[in-house]
Amino acid sequence: MKQGNGWRLGWDDEAPCYKGMVGGDDWAFELTEGEYQAFCRLVAQLAATMTQMAEELMEEERISCEAESEGLWVGVEGFPQAYDLRLIVSGDRQCEGNWSPDAVPALLQALSGLEIF
């Protein structure tokens, strides 16, 4: 498990179904391997979009972007350099979580180093 201010990530290769875990300070839920991989991919795509949009927007402009795959929705909202991140899982269970702009940079850094799990 990795954690920081406002975020938590976990991975258990031995788990039979829900190998991944995502969470904040006071919430967490488990994800299947496919959901966890999709979450990582979608978050990386949205982070890249926010970086690209920084050049297109005026300093005071906010933006909202979303991406989804089967059973998973991820959205960001805020300024390109400071935005919140929201996750909704739908399918055999319903889960929802979010991270504040203060937590997102460290969460992104942890997700980019997932090879250590």
Side-chain angles (χ1 to χ4, degrees), residues 1 4 14 20 23 33 35-36 50 56-57 62 85 102-103 106 108 113 117:
M1 178 140 139
E14 305 296 316
E33 184 172 358
E35 290 169 340
Y36 198 76
M50 293 300 273
E56 305 296 325
L57 300 173
R62 294 175 56 89
L85 174 64
D102 293 335
L108 293 174
F117 285 123

Side-chain angles (χ1 to χ4, degrees), residues 20-57:
M21 188 276 299
V22 295
D25 282 335
D26 56 2
W27 64 271
F29 54 85
E30 296 174 317
L31 299 174
T32 65
E33 184 172 358
E35 290 169 340
Y36 198 76
Q37 290 173 351
F39 170 70
C40 294
R41 179 178 47 80
L42 295 174
V43 168
Q45 288 174 356
L46 289 173
T49 298
M50 293 300 273
T51 298
Q52 292 169 352
M53 291 305 296
E55 299 172 14
E56 305 296 325
L57 300 173

